[in-house]
Amino acid sequence: MLKLKNISKSYKGFALADISLEINKGDYFVLLGNSGSGKSLLLELIAGLINANSGEIHLNNKNITNSKIQKRNIGLVFQDYALFPHLTVRNNLLFPIRKNKNKAEKAIKIAELLNITNLLERFPEKLSGGEAQRVALGRTLITNPEILLLDEPLSSLDVQLRGGLRHLLKKINRQGQTIVHVTHDYDEAIALASRVAVIDNGKIIQVGDTESVFKNPSSEFIANFIGLKNFFKSVLHTNNGKSFVLINNSTKICLLSDKKDGEGFVMIRSEDIFVYDKYTESSALNNFEGIIRDAVPSRLGIEISVETPLIFWVLITKESFERMNLGEGKKVWISFKASAVKFLKT
Amino acid sequence: MKQSLFNNITLLFSGLIILFIVGPLLSMFISTSGIDLFETAKDTDVQDSIFLTLKVSFITTFVFAFFAIPFSYFLARYEFPLKKIVQGIIDLPVVIPHSAAGIAILGFISRDSTLGKFSGLFSFDIVGSPLAIGIAMAFVSVPFLINSARDGFANVSVRLEKAAYTLGASQIRTFFTISIPLAWKNILSGFIMMFARGMSEFGAVIIVAYHPMVTPVLIYEYFGAYGLKYARPVSVIFVTVSLVFFVLLRSISDRKKNVEA
């Protein structure tokens, strides 16, 4: 278990303030924050590349605050991979293990896991972004790190590669590897994380399991940053080529998806939902009757929550709100298209 | 129109500069007859001096590289108070007259100096020995190695070294397996420059060791004693040997893959 206790650090005009975190063995922990929020700095502190001004870091009940980088048993995959340009992929992979008789054997095993066996004799400059990422990951995994730190591992890959690497990271985590993953992309957090911490301006502003953080943003910053209120844990089903998700095993929402059946999260942006005062026939497949429970003025209009009994948040203009004479307790119909529903598999 | 006039003038000036360098050398080569060259090449004094010059310069460069390379790394990686002054001190030998450098070294190694007295205990006189030649050569040439190696290390990304640390490598192992290989081209080029500069040193060497005679001193002596006709073939041979070594070492260092860190 990794414990950060009241870590503070000023670095090049930027400050991390009083960071406390607990990361359990086997967690897939995602640190979510904008660029400049201090998330990469936090990773470097954990890895020991820089030292904190105050506070303590404990790994498995051992104080490693001032331990040498080499003695921490923490692996870090850099955002730019940091592969050694003068060594082949094989020698990059073998760099961490010296004078070890099963060297080659172990490298081959890792190479197979990462599907890079055909690249072993190449130099890093001849690798694509995805390949370099997998080599960097392999090189770190060979050290058997207690904690694997990943700095924006998917950000420089194109969409197709991302899916593959996400799958791989999840597989590695399922084999028991504790992972701390830094990103600015909430899709990644939802798809991968077992727990999430949101970091802004050098401070941790919310920590919790994925669902609770996304569903109950503790501050406006998180709500705006994530931009999600209609966020539900769900199970995807496909029947005769039609996809739908079941939420709480009762509410059925239709969507367009090419993903395989399984668990995940659905998201519907509040501005994609229409409000009617009665049932209205349209091309939209998702129609629910509900009662307005709340109406909150927001930066762009008014957000109303509709209990169907599942609660949906709907963003409407002030003009519509007044024209339709909406208010708490009023019965309405809400409606949204299947194409407005986004599903992220976990 | 103006643009092309400017281009033509630049071209003309460039040509003049090249001619200025190549001209004297070329005329020296042309005005030296094959027979003179052949006779001079057979002269054992000439052979011995060339061999001595190459040997001492190479050993000096090699020995100083052990100290200079870690020092260059230190200069490239760390900030410390008075760093600019330290950098200035390194460049000092390049700007002071080499005869003055020779005088300074002579005071340092003569029989009356601490070092001279110490070597006297083993009845060894540094002045007039190959050791004195090496010291004089190193004094004037080591800045070339330090500056070039420092630039090489500065170009190696600190991230790569940090990555090596996170993979469990010690600082020493990282220095030898990551930093040096990635800065290799600059280190080797600095090595060649130091070797070449040491080999051609005259001013500092002649003051600390007239004998045994390195080739630049031999050329000077032949010129003083016998005149231009005798000094010229030695010069031609030595310039040729220098060029061969220079081109050879350069081509080796160029063949090394230029790794951008």
Side-chain angles (χ1 to χ4, degrees):
Chain A
M1 184 166 79
L2 180 73
K3 247 188 207 171
L4 307 186
K5 292 182 184 171
N6 310 101
I7 292 283
S8 293
K9 172 74 183 175
S10 302
Y11 189 71
K12 292 181 180 168
F14 181 83
L16 283 177
D18 203 25
I19 304 265
S20 293
L21 277 179
E22 279 190 23
I23 293 156
N24 297 317
K25 194 163 172 53
D27 266 357
Y28 198 118
F29 195 94
V30 171
L31 261 172
L32 191 59
N34 283 320
S35 64
S37 59
K39 54 195 195 306
S40 296
L41 190 64
L42 194 56
L43 274 199
E44 295 193 357
L45 269 165
I46 297 171
L49 302 188
I50 46 175
N51 283 322
N53 297 126
S54 64
E56 290 184 357
I57 303 172
H58 291 252
L59 181 59
N60 297 335
N61 297 320
K62 213 178 103 195
N63 186 343
I64 59 162
T65 316
N66 296 310
S67 299
K68 286 172 83 176
I69 302 173
Q70 294 91 339
K71 302 285 175 213
R72 294 192 178 209
N73 199 18
I74 290 176
L76 170 61
V77 179
F78 289 83
Q79 191 176 358
D80 58 1
Y81 320 131
L83 293 176
F84 304 131
H86 61 304
L87 301 178
T88 58
V89 168
R90 179 191 300 277
N91 288 331
N92 264 283
L93 288 174
L94 291 177
F95 185 84
I97 35 177
R98 11 168 11 201
K99 292 173 191 161
N100 189 333
K101 281 177 190 161
N102 359 332
K103 257 186 171 184
E105 211 173 291
K106 192 166 181 187
I108 295 293
K109 236 185 210 171
I110 296 269
E112 274 168 5
L113 171 72
L114 297 176
N115 196 18
I116 47 176
T117 33
N118 55 332
L119 309 173
L120 289 174
E121 307 313 324
R122 281 203 215 162
F123 281 93
E125 62 176 4
K126 301 273 186 224
L127 299 178
S128 71
E131 290 166 345
Q133 178 65 268
R134 279 177 291 160
V135 174
L137 195 59
R139 190 179 63 173
T140 304
L141 285 174
I142 280 180
T143 65
N144 275 331
E146 193 71 39
I147 312 259
L148 177 63
L149 308 176
L150 306 171
D151 193 355
E152 298 269 6
L154 306 173
S155 64
S156 46
L157 304 181
D158 60 45
V159 178
Q160 279 180 319
L161 284 172
R162 268 184 213 191
L165 198 70
R166 266 185 201 168
H167 189 73
L168 177 67
L169 291 174
K170 228 187 271 180
K171 190 166 150 193
I172 292 166
N173 175 243
R174 279 204 201 105
Q175 292 174 0
Q177 176 69 57
T178 313
I179 295 180
V180 180
H181 173 142
V182 151
T183 182
H184 63 276
D185 183 349
Y186 67 83
D187 272 14
E188 277 177 34
I190 293 163
L192 289 166
S194 57
R195 292 177 71 225
V196 177
V198 182
I199 181 168
D200 181 40
N201 202 16
K203 291 192 186 76
I204 300 279
I205 49 179
Q206 192 173 1
V207 192
D209 62 65
T210 316
E211 198 178 0
S212 74
V213 170
F214 282 89
K215 211 159 167 117
N216 308 304
S218 70
S219 74
E220 196 169 345
F221 168 78
I222 300 175
N224 287 337
F225 177 57
I226 298 168
L228 291 174
K229 283 200 170 162
N230 301 311
F231 178 82
F232 309 103
K233 195 168 183 145
S234 56
V235 183
L236 178 71
H237 298 277
T238 313
N239 196 355
N240 290 333
K242 289 179 201 155
S243 297
F244 62 92
V245 291
L246 277 178
I247 300 164
N248 297 339
N249 252 329
S250 56
T251 309
K252 180 179 159 188
I253 292 178
C254 301
L255 74 161
L256 299 173
S257 170
D258 53 4
K259 302 220 168 59
K260 281 191 201 138
D261 289 7
E263 288 194 0
F265 289 97
V266 283
M267 294 171 281
I268 306 113
R269 287 148 56 102
S270 58
E271 54 265 47
D272 288 342
I273 303 179
F274 293 87
V275 180
Y276 300 98
D277 53 6
K278 57 179 188 290
Y279 177 78
T280 307
E281 196 61 50
S282 74
S283 67
L285 287 174
N286 299 298
N287 298 285
F288 300 97
E289 189 178 22
I291 297 168
I292 296 178
R293 287 298 176 206
D294 208 354
V296 187
S298 79
R299 195 162 52 87
L300 293 170
I302 293 178
E303 278 189 305
I304 58 173
S305 69
V306 181
E307 187 181 338
T308 69
L310 207 61
I311 291 180
F312 287 93
W313 285 88
V314 185
L315 178 67
I316 54 177
T317 59
K318 200 158 179 263
E319 196 186 336
S320 306
F321 186 79
E322 281 165 2
R323 182 167 47 77
M324 290 178 73
N325 201 14
L326 300 177
E328 276 175 47
K330 188 172 164 104
K331 270 194 178 177
V332 288
W333 278 82
I334 59 168
S335 152
F336 50 90
K337 295 172 71 172
S339 59
V341 182
K342 188 171 172 188
F343 179 78
L344 277 169
K345 214 165 154 28
T346 56
Chain B
M1 257 326 257
K2 262 187 184 166
Q3 184 62 42
S4 95
L5 179 67
F6 178 77
N7 283 348
N8 287 337
I9 291 174
T10 319
L11 210 61
L12 177 70
F13 287 179
S14 314
L16 286 173
I17 292 283
I18 294 291
L19 198 65
F20 171 72
I21 297 171
V22 176
L25 286 174
L26 214 57
S27 87
M28 182 174 79
F29 273 77
I30 291 166
S31 51
T32 310
S33 73
I35 298 159
D36 283 348
L37 274 179
F38 186 69
E39 288 300 318
T40 313
K42 281 203 304 190
D43 182 344
T44 51
D45 284 350
V46 173
Q47 287 173 5
D48 289 350
S49 88
I50 289 177
F51 188 63
L52 176 78
T53 312
L54 292 175
K55 188 177 72 182
V56 174
S57 185
F58 190 81
I59 291 171
T60 302
T61 307
F62 206 78
V63 169
F64 271 77
F66 273 94
F67 299 90
I69 291 171
F71 179 43
S72 314
Y73 180 76
F74 179 76
L75 283 174
R77 278 289 175 268
Y78 300 100
E79 292 302 321
F80 51 88
L82 308 180
K83 186 173 178 180
K84 284 210 166 124
I85 293 179
V86 170
Q87 192 57 56
I89 291 170
I90 292 163
D91 290 332
L92 209 54
V94 180
V95 294
I96 62 172
H98 288 181
S99 49
I103 297 290
I105 294 166
L106 185 62
F108 188 62
I109 61 173
S110 71
R111 253 169 249 156
D112 314 325
S113 72
T114 318
L115 204 61
K117 279 178 189 154
F118 180 73
S119 69
L121 294 178
F122 307 93
S123 42
F124 173 66
D125 190 6
I126 303 176
V127 178
S129 73
L131 180 60
I133 298 173
I135 292 172
M137 282 178 172
F139 187 88
V140 298
S141 62
V142 78
F144 292 96
L145 175 56
I146 294 175
N147 287 334
S148 180
R150 185 205 55 215
D151 291 347
F153 286 126
N155 282 331
V156 177
S157 163
V158 181
R159 291 179 83 73
L160 292 178
E161 291 172 358
K162 289 195 164 171
Y165 299 157
T166 66
L167 296 169
S170 66
Q171 259 189 306
I172 292 179
R173 181 168 173 240
T174 303
F175 180 66
F176 282 108
T177 58
I178 305 297
S179 316
I180 288 195
L182 289 175
W184 187 242
K185 202 174 155 61
N186 279 69
I187 293 172
L188 205 59
S189 146
F191 192 94
I192 294 164
M193 286 305 289
M194 179 173 174
F195 171 68
R197 187 66 200 79
M199 193 164 75
S200 55
E201 178 54 19
F202 168 72
V205 172
I206 195 171
I207 286 172
V208 297
Y210 197 85
H211 288 282
M213 228 173 245
V214 293
T215 316
V217 176
L218 185 83
I219 292 169
Y220 177 72
E221 196 192 58
Y222 275 27
F223 177 65
Y226 315 115
L228 187 61
K229 191 175 178 326
Y230 286 87
R232 204 148 50 192
V234 189
S235 303
V236 168
I237 290 170
F238 190 60
V239 167
T240 309
V241 169
S242 305
L243 282 179
V244 166
F245 264 84
F246 192 72
V247 171
L248 210 68
L249 287 170
R250 272 274 160 193
S251 69
I252 291 170
S253 80
D254 281 348
R255 216 181 305 152
K256 268 266 164 188
K257 220 174 73 156
N258 188 9
V259 191
E260 293 299 332

